[in-house]
Every structure is written in C-alpha cells, then in structure tokens.
Amino acid sequence: MVNLTSVNFKISVMGKIKKIVLKTLKYLGIFVGSILLLMFLIPLLFPGTISQQVKIFANKHLAGKLDYKGTHLTFFRHFPSLTVSVDDLVLQGSKPFQNDTLLAAKEVAAGINLKNLIFDGEIRINEVYVVDATANIFVNSKGQPNYNVYVSSPSKSPKDTTGKGTSIKIDLIRFKNWNIKYNDHSANILVDAKGLNYTGKGGLSEDIFDLKTDLEIKKLDFRLNKIYYARQKYIRADLITRINTNALTLVLRKNELRINELPLKFNGSLSILKDGYDLNIDAASENTTVRDMISILPPQYLDWAKDTKIEGKSDLFFSLKGGFSEPRKVKPRLTARLLVSDGVISSGKAPVPMNNLNVDLNIDLPALDMEQLGVDLKRIDFNLGKNNAFHAAIKSKGLSEMQINADIKGGLSLAILDEALGLKDLELKGLLNADVKADGVFSIEKKLFPRTKGYLDLKDGWLKTSFYPNPIKNINLTANISNTDGTFGSLNVKVDPFGFDFEGNPVYVNANLQNFDDLLYDVRAKGKLNVGKIYQVFAKKGVDVSGLVIADLSLKGRQSYATTGRYSKLDNQGTLVLKNIKATTAFLPKSIYLKEGNFEFENEKMWFRKFNAIYGKSDFSLNGHLLNTINYFLESKGTLHGNFALNSKYILVDEFMALKKGDNTDQSLAVEYAKAENPKSSGVVIVPKNLDVSLAVAAGKVGFKGLNITNLKGAAGIRNGQILLDKTIFDLIGSRMTINARYQDESPLTANFDLGLKVLDFNVQRAYREIDMVRELASSAKDVNGTVSVDYKLKGDFDQDMKPIYPSLEGGGVVNLRDVEVKNLKMLSVIGDNVGTDAFHNPDMKGVNIETHIKNNLIHVEEFKFKVSVLRPSISGTTSFNGLLDILVKVGLPPAGWISIPVAVIGTTEKPKIKFFSRTGQTILTAIYNRKINKLVREEKRAKETSGREQRKEKREQEKKAKEAAKKVDNNLKRKL
C-alpha cells in the first residue's frame, strides 16, 4: 500500500509540473509570437512618422544637400534594434564645396528607442549605423573645410510642425566597410584609410562621457609634404577616450594600437579650438622585436622580411605636444626615439649574418619646423664577421644652418652584406672603406663648413638589379675631403678616380676642388652613358627613351675669374652631347623631349651648337650660348644668363599652362593643390625664376586659346620670372601687329601683364567674331564694318583659365576709324528715332580718332566729332564693360555746328535711354578690384541722382585716374623693356 501511494503521489506531482511547463510554453509562445508580430506591425504603424521625422531632422541640422533613394523601418537589418534605414545616401559638402560629395553610403541607419516610440510617440535615436561608405574630407589651401554641414543654430532651422521632435541620445556608433580620405592642403597632410570598421560605445549625448572604441583599418596611407610615412598599413585599435563636449577635449585613457605587427600604446589629450588643436600625446612601443619594427616598413620590403632571419629587441617612443593653428602660425613639437639592441639579420644563404646591430636614434622637431630639426644618431653599429664592421654617430641641429658632429667608420665587403641581408632584387660586390669625422656648422649662405677629415674608398664595385640584365661594373671611387678651420675657404674635395663600366662603355671622372669660398676647380670627365638603360637598372618607371649622354670635358679655373670678367684665365673646354633625353620641371605639366643637344664649352660660355626639343605639340630649336654655367651650378640661388636665337614651327601656349593634363607627376605642391581644387581650370603659364636670357624669336605659328598668330618675329627675354616682348611683330586675323609686353605669374592660378599694341588695317568684323577680348572691350564693334588702326596700352590680371579679368584692366589709347561703316548703333539710333532723321542710323565716322582710358571696369571716352548728314555731333562720356551708359552727345546744328543740342544717353548699350537738352546723365560709380587677391570686391553701379555739378566733378576725377593709369602702363613697359 505504501509503495502504491508513493507512486500515485509522484504521478500527481508529475502531472502538475507538466501542466505548469505547458502553460509556461504556451504563454512564452504567445509572448514570442506577439513580439514577432509587433516586429512586423510597428514598421507598418509608424512609417509616415519615421520618414517625416527623418526629413525634419535633416532639414534642421544639415546645411549640405542630402539625397537618398528611400527609407525603411525594420528590426531585421540590425537585430534586435528597431532601425530607420536610409538607402544610397549622398551628402554634399559645405560651401564652397556644395557640388562635391562629402559622404556616400549604401546604408545609414538610426536605432530608435522602442519604449519612447510606442508609449510617447517620440522618435529618440540612440544608435547609428553606416555601411559601405566613402567619405572625402577636404580642406583647401585657404583653410576652408568641406565638412561644415551641421547647423547648430535652432533659430535658422525649420519649425517642427508635428509638435514632437526627434531627439538624439546615442549609445552606439557602428561603421562598417568605410573608405575615408582626409586631404588637408593647408597643412600638407593626406590620410587615406580603406576598409575601416569602427564600433563606438558610450553616452555620446552626455556632456562628458567615455567612448569605447574598436577600430580596424585594413590599409592606411599617411603623407606629409609629399613624403609617405606609411603605406598600406594594417591598423587595429582598442581605445577608451573620455570626451568633454563642453570644452571639446578628448582625454586618451586606454589606447592600444597595432600597426601591422607593431604594438603601440599612447595616452594624453586633444583639445579642439576655434582655430586649430591643442595636443598632448605620448606614445610608446616597448619590449618589441626588430621583426615587429620592420613590419611597418613599406609593403615592398615585407616579402623580404618573411624569408629572412630577423632577431633583436626594439623600443619606440614619440610625443606630440603643443598647439596647431594656421591663423596663429603655431605648430606642436614632435620628439621621437628608436632603440634597437642585439639585432641579427641573416638570409638562408648568408655565410656570415649581420650581427650586433645596435641603433639609438633621437629626433626633435620643435614647431614641426625643419629649420629647427634636431637629429641625434647616438650610434648605429653592426658587423659581418671579424674584418667587416661599421660604426656611425651623427648629431645635427637645424637645416639651412646646420650644426653637425659626425663620426663614420667602417670596412665592409658589399658581397657579404648583400648575402647577409638576402636582397632579392639587388646584387652588390666590392670592398668599401670609410673614415669621416666632422664637427662644426654647415651653411651655404654664410659659407661655413664643418671641420672635416675623411675618405671614402670603393674598389672593384659591382651593381646589378633584377630590372636590367647587365650590371654596372668596375666601380672604383676614391674621395678625400678635408676642412681645417670651418669655412668654405679651407674646404678641399678630391675625387681621383671615379669610374665605372656600363654596357661596355667606360666612364671616368676626376675632380680636384679647393677653396669653396672662391672655388678652384679642375674636373675631367669622359665617357658614354645610355641614360635610358641606367634608369631601367634602378626601375625608374615612365622612361620610354633611350637617353644617350656623351661627354669629353676638361673644366679648369677659379670661380671669381668668371664673376670678375677675367675670362682669359679660364680653361673650360670640351663637348657634351645629349640625345633622346626626357626631362621634367616643377612648373610644366608635360615632359620636355630633347631630340638632340650638342654643347661645346669655351671658357665662360656654353655654346648650344645644335638643340632640338619637343614639348607636346610645340617644337624648339636653340642656337646661342649660356654664360657662367659653372657658377650657376655652384651657387644655391644662381641665375643662368644667355643669348639665343629661338626658332619654332609651332608653339601652343595652352599646353604650357600649369594645370593642364600631362605626364609630369613631379610638379610642385602648389600646382598639385591648385589642380585638385580647380579641376576644370587650365591655370597660367609659370615662368622659371632663375633665368636671365635674351631671345631672338622666330615662330611660324603660335596658338593661344583658339587664336592663331603667324609669322611672329622679335626680341624676347626671360628675366626675374617675367617674359618680355620688345617690338615683336606678328600676323593676326590678316593684320600686321606690333607688340611690347610683360608677363609674370603670381601663382599657378593668377598672373599679371602689361602690353602696348599697334596695328594697321584691323578688320573690325573679323576681330569681333574671332577674338573674345574684342567682344568684351568693344561690344559696339558688332555694328561696325571696315578697318581700323589701334594704338593701345593695357595692364591687368589673368584668372585661373588665363583669361583677362576685366575689372583689373587699366590703360588707354587711340582707335582710328580708317575706313568704316557704322550701322544701327543703338545709342545713336535712339536719337535719330526721336529727332526724326534716319541719318543717325548710318553716320559718317571715317577717319575719326576715338581716344579712351580704362580703369575699374569703366571706359572713359574723350570727346570726338563726326558727321550725320548736315549735322556735326560729338560724343564723350563713360561706358562700362557690362554695358552701362553715361554718354553726352552734342548735336551740332548747321552751318558749322557752333550751336548744339545736348543729349544725355543713359541706360545700357542694348536698351539706351535719352534725355534731350541735358548735359548730365547719371554717373556710373567705378568697380572696386583688389589686385592683391585678384578679386572683384564690388561691381560698377549707378550713382544716386545728384546735381550736374557733382556729376561733372565725379567724372573729372574718374577720367583723371584713368589717364594716370594709362601713363603708368606706358612708363612700366618702357622701364621693363
């Protein structure tokens, strides 16, 4: 009985438990089902509210144009969060970059607080997701950024008409698969991050909060001043940053970073100021290995590291402290230290490894100023067995005036070094010995050189790369250097011999240089060198010419012999032949292709016996000489002087403009930035500053912005960064012209000019059709047929497309209407219509001289007379390039025009208005042009109605200034030429 009762009790208990479990599962199923149902229903219940709030929020807070394909409300894209997703979003930048894309993303999603949505009907965003995005952050050369798209002022925002707004209390930010480019032209910094994944957690809406960051960048490039300090680096970071939004300060609390295999920890703070940043950052990579350190080298070296034995300890420390502000001209101080101890590098084939590699390098860069750069290489030592050891200790401070203390000593077998390092693309041989000690100041300007004693000796050298099948061999070099008192005067350098063989052609150079204060030189060079193949040896890309140099030179003399005119004491003889050489300069977009250049040295002169070159579609042939070329190469700021005859079949000026497309990738930073900021502009022609050359020019055809100039002949010069033309004649649109001119660039985007032009038999209609400047300067020419003569002088500025900036023009001159017909000139026709005579529609202006003066976008016309039937009208007054009129026409009555009726013509050239019996029209106020920044500050405009006396006074002042401007142009041309 007892056992049966026990069994029944157990069965009863089991039944109750079963019922409880079934009920629990039932309610749980209902709950889960309800949740799933809500997950489908909520997006259907609130879609209009969500979409409307997204648009209201965007309009309130974004100044840049925002565009996207559509919105979605779902739990499933970023489960379990309810998110509103915007697909294919494109956000434009802030002014002046409103047409450029700041951010493009496949998806931007905002996580919504479900409680506030259901119970309060309020949209509260607490999570942000951005997927598959490209961000282009840009700061131009003027310091203007493209990312100022957030509008913080609520007073300028649209009102929320729903009564309930969208609030932000973000706890999570997640970026997936981003590509970010930060390009700051004002600081010369480029950061390019590809494959960026970022997760940030914290109370981002609080005034002070801790942001926990997980960051991964698959490829990172960092460039400063055109030098890459990181290429394709893998970055991993685990960070905790305390952010104070009130003070805009970031405190780096926990920061663990990995660059490839190199771990890095840093701490400190970053404060964002109105005009820059305040930095206080310390970083260190301690107790790591040499292999870890090598992992941050450029990618091309990492394959070598995989197959090479690398051992040793390393430590890296650096700090960045201070303010950064372009307006205040302050920059932080950078310090760094690299330690390597007990390093070993050895390839598998090396008979002897590189042992005992020790490095202690310290760098100090106050205010990021290279002129204050301090480098202290306390030691770099290694050995390759018993008889191969190298030691160096170098300390320097400054750049243009550099304090140096150096001790370099070693004897190495380059073959053993090559095998120890396991260099794959490079084969070295030869015995290298060096012993150099130096202590003192190096300054070219002050002619100081450290006290130095030392030598460098290389015997039986051999160099072969994988890029070219044949080696450079028999490299022998013995160089001795000495300086006893720290000045240029006691500096002696002797290179005897230096020679090598390449492709079966030996090259020899011997040089003895003494007293660099007044250099006494004795240099001999002989040999034949295929430059194109030499470039291939060193894997220089983009070289597609053979490039042959043949030298047989003997140069002997003293620097002062040339500067003081004692040319008879010089003994410079020999020849230099260049063929098929391709070269680039910092100021031209394309390469110059030298087909052939035969040069002969004769004491102070370097003769161009044969010089044929091609630049794009342009060709050049030079015959003449340069003076004092040796001094030019010896002086840091030397100028080349010369006299040449230049002949060309065709010169296309357009392809010399700095921002034009071309194959030259070595242009200056100023050109590179100007091109990036003005991609549709051509720029102006940049003139080299180190030339003082006279040219007798003869060109069959010259093309410039659609104009075809033919039969150009005359004297030209390049001097002090200016191009000068003196009494140069040419044919344009069938007319013979004479021009004196001066041109000078100010930047890659601006230039200025002065010119004086004389022309006979100028066909007015052809000029109006074919020359833009004629249409702008003389819009009434469309109503004139026949020929004119012109004697005019102008100065002004060119814009970024090398077009004249009309408000900048100043000058004046005379136009003689030699044989013309003037028909239906609206300014005169309106008078004829009112007086009832058709003669004003076709006045007789043959032989009339019209003198005008230009300044501040106004053209002041001196009084001139002409015939209209029996009438003798005269015209004077002011008009503007934009067509405003303030003209006085005096209609002289028969018999001799002594009695006249004054008519004031105002309005515009297209819609003139007249006032009879009035000597005053309505004064035009001059435009205001700022020549320093090449910008029109204010356009010309009508003055307020004033008395006739006040108007006449204003006109006289304007005319006086315009005449003075014309005289200045004339004087400036005479002075320059």
Side-chain angles (χ1 to χ4, degrees), residues 211-213 237-242 251-257 265-268:
L211 176 65
K212 297 178 181 179
T213 298
D238 182 11
L239 316 173
I240 298 179
T241 306
R242 172 153 291 180
V251 179
L252 311 175
R253 302 185 67 189
K254 175 192 173 185
N255 300 281
E256 297 178 357
L257 182 68
K265 294 183 179 181
F266 54 95
N267 57 67

PDB file of all heavy atoms in Angstrom, residues 211-213 237-242 251-257 265-268:
ATOM      1  N   LEU A 211      34.084  57.078 -24.337  1.00  0.00           N
ATOM      2  CA  LEU A 211      33.804  56.415 -25.611  1.00  0.00           C
ATOM      3  C   LEU A 211      34.731  55.206 -25.746  1.00  0.00           C
ATOM      4  O   LEU A 211      35.957  55.358 -25.782  1.00  0.00           O
ATOM      5  CB  LEU A 211      34.030  57.386 -26.770  1.00  0.00           C
ATOM      6  CG  LEU A 211      33.855  56.806 -28.175  1.00  0.00           C
ATOM      7  CD1 LEU A 211      32.415  56.385 -28.410  1.00  0.00           C
ATOM      8  CD2 LEU A 211      34.293  57.813 -29.234  1.00  0.00           C
ATOM      9  N   LYS A 212      34.118  54.016 -25.798  1.00  0.00           N
ATOM     10  CA  LYS A 212      34.888  52.790 -26.013  1.00  0.00           C
ATOM     11  C   LYS A 212      34.918  52.496 -27.506  1.00  0.00           C
ATOM     12  O   LYS A 212      33.874  52.420 -28.143  1.00  0.00           O
ATOM     13  CB  LYS A 212      34.247  51.628 -25.252  1.00  0.00           C
ATOM     14  CG  LYS A 212      34.231  51.826 -23.737  1.00  0.00           C
ATOM     15  CD  LYS A 212      33.549  50.661 -23.029  1.00  0.00           C
ATOM     16  CE  LYS A 212      33.517  50.897 -21.521  1.00  0.00           C
ATOM     17  NZ  LYS A 212      32.830  49.787 -20.799  1.00  0.00           N
ATOM     18  N   THR A 213      36.118  52.331 -28.032  1.00  0.00           N
ATOM     19  CA  THR A 213      36.295  52.236 -29.482  1.00  0.00           C
ATOM     20  C   THR A 213      36.983  50.939 -29.862  1.00  0.00           C
ATOM     21  O   THR A 213      37.984  50.553 -29.245  1.00  0.00           O
ATOM     22  CB  THR A 213      37.135  53.422 -30.002  1.00  0.00           C
ATOM     23  OG1 THR A 213      36.431  54.629 -29.735  1.00  0.00           O
ATOM     24  CG2 THR A 213      37.396  53.307 -31.487  1.00  0.00           C
ATOM     25  N   ALA A 237      42.903  48.897 -33.241  1.00  0.00           N
ATOM     26  CA  ALA A 237      42.945  49.744 -32.060  1.00  0.00           C
ATOM     27  C   ALA A 237      41.821  49.387 -31.101  1.00  0.00           C
ATOM     28  O   ALA A 237      40.684  49.109 -31.512  1.00  0.00           O
ATOM     29  CB  ALA A 237      42.831  51.213 -32.465  1.00  0.00           C
ATOM     30  N   ASP A 238      42.167  49.396 -29.795  1.00  0.00           N
ATOM     31  CA  ASP A 238      41.202  49.220 -28.706  1.00  0.00           C
ATOM     32  C   ASP A 238      41.384  50.431 -27.804  1.00  0.00           C
ATOM     33  O   ASP A 238      42.411  50.562 -27.114  1.00  0.00           O
ATOM     34  CB  ASP A 238      41.479  47.919 -27.958  1.00  0.00           C
ATOM     35  CG  ASP A 238      40.452  47.676 -26.853  1.00  0.00           C
ATOM     36  OD1 ASP A 238      39.441  48.406 -26.821  1.00  0.00           O
ATOM     37  OD2 ASP A 238      40.680  46.780 -26.017  1.00  0.00           O
ATOM     38  N   LEU A 239      40.403  51.342 -27.812  1.00  0.00           N
ATOM     39  CA  LEU A 239      40.594  52.641 -27.173  1.00  0.00           C
ATOM     40  C   LEU A 239      39.458  52.963 -26.214  1.00  0.00           C
ATOM     41  O   LEU A 239      38.315  52.546 -26.412  1.00  0.00           O
ATOM     42  CB  LEU A 239      40.655  53.758 -28.228  1.00  0.00           C
ATOM     43  CG  LEU A 239      41.489  53.511 -29.487  1.00  0.00           C
ATOM     44  CD1 LEU A 239      41.277  54.650 -30.468  1.00  0.00           C
ATOM     45  CD2 LEU A 239      42.946  53.392 -29.127  1.00  0.00           C
ATOM     46  N   ILE A 240      39.802  53.698 -25.161  1.00  0.00           N
ATOM     47  CA  ILE A 240      38.800  54.335 -24.301  1.00  0.00           C
ATOM     48  C   ILE A 240      39.173  55.803 -24.219  1.00  0.00           C
ATOM     49  O   ILE A 240      40.262  56.164 -23.756  1.00  0.00           O
ATOM     50  CB  ILE A 240      38.751  53.707 -22.896  1.00  0.00           C
ATOM     51  CG1 ILE A 240      38.346  52.228 -22.977  1.00  0.00           C
ATOM     52  CG2 ILE A 240      37.767  54.479 -22.018  1.00  0.00           C
ATOM     53  CD1 ILE A 240      38.310  51.537 -21.631  1.00  0.00           C
ATOM     54  N   THR A 241      38.260  56.656 -24.674  1.00  0.00           N
ATOM     55  CA  THR A 241      38.529  58.093 -24.738  1.00  0.00           C
ATOM     56  C   THR A 241      37.462  58.836 -23.953  1.00  0.00           C
ATOM     57  O   THR A 241      36.264  58.654 -24.186  1.00  0.00           O
ATOM     58  CB  THR A 241      38.517  58.581 -26.196  1.00  0.00           C
ATOM     59  OG1 THR A 241      39.416  57.788 -26.959  1.00  0.00           O
ATOM     60  CG2 THR A 241      38.918  60.040 -26.271  1.00  0.00           C
ATOM     61  N   ARG A 242      37.905  59.651 -23.009  1.00  0.00           N
ATOM     62  CA  ARG A 242      36.950  60.498 -22.286  1.00  0.00           C
ATOM     63  C   ARG A 242      36.770  61.794 -23.064  1.00  0.00           C
ATOM     64  O   ARG A 242      37.743  62.504 -23.343  1.00  0.00           O
ATOM     65  CB  ARG A 242      37.437  60.786 -20.875  1.00  0.00           C
ATOM     66  CG  ARG A 242      36.580  61.811 -20.129  1.00  0.00           C
ATOM     67  CD  ARG A 242      36.618  61.620 -18.640  1.00  0.00           C
ATOM     68  NE  ARG A 242      35.932  60.384 -18.251  1.00  0.00           N
ATOM     69  CZ  ARG A 242      35.816  59.976 -16.979  1.00  0.00           C
ATOM     70  NH1 ARG A 242      36.340  60.691 -16.012  1.00  0.00           N
ATOM     71  NH2 ARG A 242      35.193  58.849 -16.713  1.00  0.00           N
ATOM     72  N   VAL A 251      40.355  63.047 -23.826  1.00  0.00           N
ATOM     73  CA  VAL A 251      41.411  62.512 -22.964  1.00  0.00           C
ATOM     74  C   VAL A 251      41.590  61.038 -23.296  1.00  0.00           C
ATOM     75  O   VAL A 251      40.641  60.246 -23.196  1.00  0.00           O
ATOM     76  CB  VAL A 251      41.065  62.692 -21.472  1.00  0.00           C
ATOM     77  CG1 VAL A 251      42.173  62.100 -20.599  1.00  0.00           C
ATOM     78  CG2 VAL A 251      40.846  64.165 -21.142  1.00  0.00           C
ATOM     79  N   LEU A 252      42.802  60.652 -23.710  1.00  0.00           N
ATOM     80  CA  LEU A 252      43.097  59.284 -24.131  1.00  0.00           C
ATOM     81  C   LEU A 252      43.428  58.461 -22.893  1.00  0.00           C
ATOM     82  O   LEU A 252      44.519  58.566 -22.336  1.00  0.00           O
ATOM     83  CB  LEU A 252      44.252  59.285 -25.131  1.00  0.00           C
ATOM     84  CG  LEU A 252      44.116  60.295 -26.284  1.00  0.00           C
ATOM     85  CD1 LEU A 252      45.369  60.306 -27.134  1.00  0.00           C
ATOM     86  CD2 LEU A 252      42.904  59.974 -27.126  1.00  0.00           C
ATOM     87  N   ARG A 253      42.482  57.612 -22.455  1.00  0.00           N
ATOM     88  CA  ARG A 253      42.659  56.879 -21.204  1.00  0.00           C
ATOM     89  C   ARG A 253      43.281  55.501 -21.450  1.00  0.00           C
ATOM     90  O   ARG A 253      44.335  55.175 -20.951  1.00  0.00           O
ATOM     91  CB  ARG A 253      41.313  56.727 -20.500  1.00  0.00           C
ATOM     92  CG  ARG A 253      40.647  58.072 -20.213  1.00  0.00           C
ATOM     93  CD  ARG A 253      39.378  57.906 -19.416  1.00  0.00           C
ATOM     94  NE  ARG A 253      39.645  57.425 -18.064  1.00  0.00           N
ATOM     95  CZ  ARG A 253      38.696  57.024 -17.218  1.00  0.00           C
ATOM     96  NH1 ARG A 253      37.442  57.021 -17.613  1.00  0.00           N
ATOM     97  NH2 ARG A 253      39.006  56.614 -16.018  1.00  0.00           N
ATOM     98  N   LYS A 254      42.613  54.671 -22.233  1.00  0.00           N
ATOM     99  CA  LYS A 254      43.174  53.362 -22.601  1.00  0.00           C
ATOM    100  C   LYS A 254      43.286  53.352 -24.118  1.00  0.00           C
ATOM    101  O   LYS A 254      42.309  53.505 -24.829  1.00  0.00           O
ATOM    102  CB  LYS A 254      42.261  52.228 -22.156  1.00  0.00           C
ATOM    103  CG  LYS A 254      42.746  50.861 -22.627  1.00  0.00           C
ATOM    104  CD  LYS A 254      41.688  49.793 -22.434  1.00  0.00           C
ATOM    105  CE  LYS A 254      42.129  48.475 -23.060  1.00  0.00           C
ATOM    106  NZ  LYS A 254      41.087  47.441 -23.004  1.00  0.00           N
ATOM    107  N   ASN A 255      44.517  53.155 -24.619  1.00  0.00           N
ATOM    108  CA  ASN A 255      44.718  53.241 -26.060  1.00  0.00           C
ATOM    109  C   ASN A 255      45.765  52.223 -26.479  1.00  0.00           C
ATOM    110  O   ASN A 255      46.963  52.415 -26.268  1.00  0.00           O
ATOM    111  CB  ASN A 255      45.158  54.656 -26.445  1.00  0.00           C
ATOM    112  CG  ASN A 255      44.124  55.690 -26.051  1.00  0.00           C
ATOM    113  OD1 ASN A 255      43.142  55.861 -26.731  1.00  0.00           O
ATOM    114  ND2 ASN A 255      44.349  56.352 -24.926  1.00  0.00           N
ATOM    115  N   GLU A 256      45.286  51.143 -27.051  1.00  0.00           N
ATOM    116  CA  GLU A 256      46.171  50.085 -27.530  1.00  0.00           C
ATOM    117  C   GLU A 256      46.000  49.979 -29.035  1.00  0.00           C
ATOM    118  O   GLU A 256      44.912  49.735 -29.542  1.00  0.00           O
ATOM    119  CB  GLU A 256      45.831  48.763 -26.850  1.00  0.00           C
ATOM    120  CG  GLU A 256      46.052  48.802 -25.336  1.00  0.00           C
ATOM    121  CD  GLU A 256      45.670  47.501 -24.655  1.00  0.00           C
ATOM    122  OE1 GLU A 256      45.186  46.586 -25.359  1.00  0.00           O
ATOM    123  OE2 GLU A 256      45.839  47.391 -23.431  1.00  0.00           O
ATOM    124  N   LEU A 257      47.117  50.174 -29.708  1.00  0.00           N
ATOM    125  CA  LEU A 257      47.105  50.246 -31.164  1.00  0.00           C
ATOM    126  C   LEU A 257      48.111  49.251 -31.720  1.00  0.00           C
ATOM    127  O   LEU A 257      49.166  49.034 -31.125  1.00  0.00           O
ATOM    128  CB  LEU A 257      47.464  51.677 -31.610  1.00  0.00           C
ATOM    129  CG  LEU A 257      47.478  52.004 -33.096  1.00  0.00           C
ATOM    130  CD1 LEU A 257      46.064  51.950 -33.659  1.00  0.00           C
ATOM    131  CD2 LEU A 257      48.070  53.387 -33.313  1.00  0.00           C
ATOM    132  N   LYS A 265      51.177  51.836 -27.608  1.00  0.00           N
ATOM    133  CA  LYS A 265      50.285  52.381 -26.591  1.00  0.00           C
ATOM    134  C   LYS A 265      50.520  53.880 -26.492  1.00  0.00           C
ATOM    135  O   LYS A 265      51.653  54.338 -26.565  1.00  0.00           O
ATOM    136  CB  LYS A 265      50.540  51.716 -25.239  1.00  0.00           C
ATOM    137  CG  LYS A 265      50.192  50.235 -25.196  1.00  0.00           C
ATOM    138  CD  LYS A 265      50.396  49.663 -23.805  1.00  0.00           C
ATOM    139  CE  LYS A 265      50.020  48.181 -23.756  1.00  0.00           C
ATOM    140  NZ  LYS A 265      50.192  47.596 -22.400  1.00  0.00           N
ATOM    141  N   PHE A 266      49.426  54.629 -26.309  1.00  0.00           N
ATOM    142  CA  PHE A 266      49.593  56.065 -26.181  1.00  0.00           C
ATOM    143  C   PHE A 266      48.553  56.634 -25.243  1.00  0.00           C
ATOM    144  O   PHE A 266      47.505  56.024 -24.980  1.00  0.00           O
ATOM    145  CB  PHE A 266      49.532  56.759 -27.547  1.00  0.00           C
ATOM    146  CG  PHE A 266      48.313  56.462 -28.358  1.00  0.00           C
ATOM    147  CD1 PHE A 266      47.218  57.295 -28.333  1.00  0.00           C
ATOM    148  CD2 PHE A 266      48.260  55.334 -29.164  1.00  0.00           C
ATOM    149  CE1 PHE A 266      46.097  57.025 -29.091  1.00  0.00           C
ATOM    150  CE2 PHE A 266      47.141  55.051 -29.926  1.00  0.00           C
ATOM    151  CZ  PHE A 266      46.055  55.907 -29.888  1.00  0.00           C
ATOM    152  N   ASN A 267      48.859  57.792 -24.698  1.00  0.00           N
ATOM    153  CA  ASN A 267      47.938  58.480 -23.799  1.00  0.00           C
ATOM    154  C   ASN A 267      48.132  59.979 -23.946  1.00  0.00           C
ATOM    155  O   ASN A 267      49.086  60.446 -24.579  1.00  0.00           O
ATOM    156  CB  ASN A 267      48.165  58.051 -22.338  1.00  0.00           C
ATOM    157  CG  ASN A 267      49.591  58.305 -21.895  1.00  0.00           C
ATOM    158  OD1 ASN A 267      50.026  59.440 -21.788  1.00  0.00           O
ATOM    159  ND2 ASN A 267      50.338  57.234 -21.643  1.00  0.00           N
ATOM    160  N   GLY A 268      47.228  60.734 -23.345  1.00  0.00           N
ATOM    161  CA  GLY A 268      47.308  62.180 -23.432  1.00  0.00           C
ATOM    162  C   GLY A 268      45.962  62.789 -23.719  1.00  0.00           C
ATOM    163  O   GLY A 268      44.920  62.238 -23.322  1.00  0.00           O
TER     164      GLY A 268
END
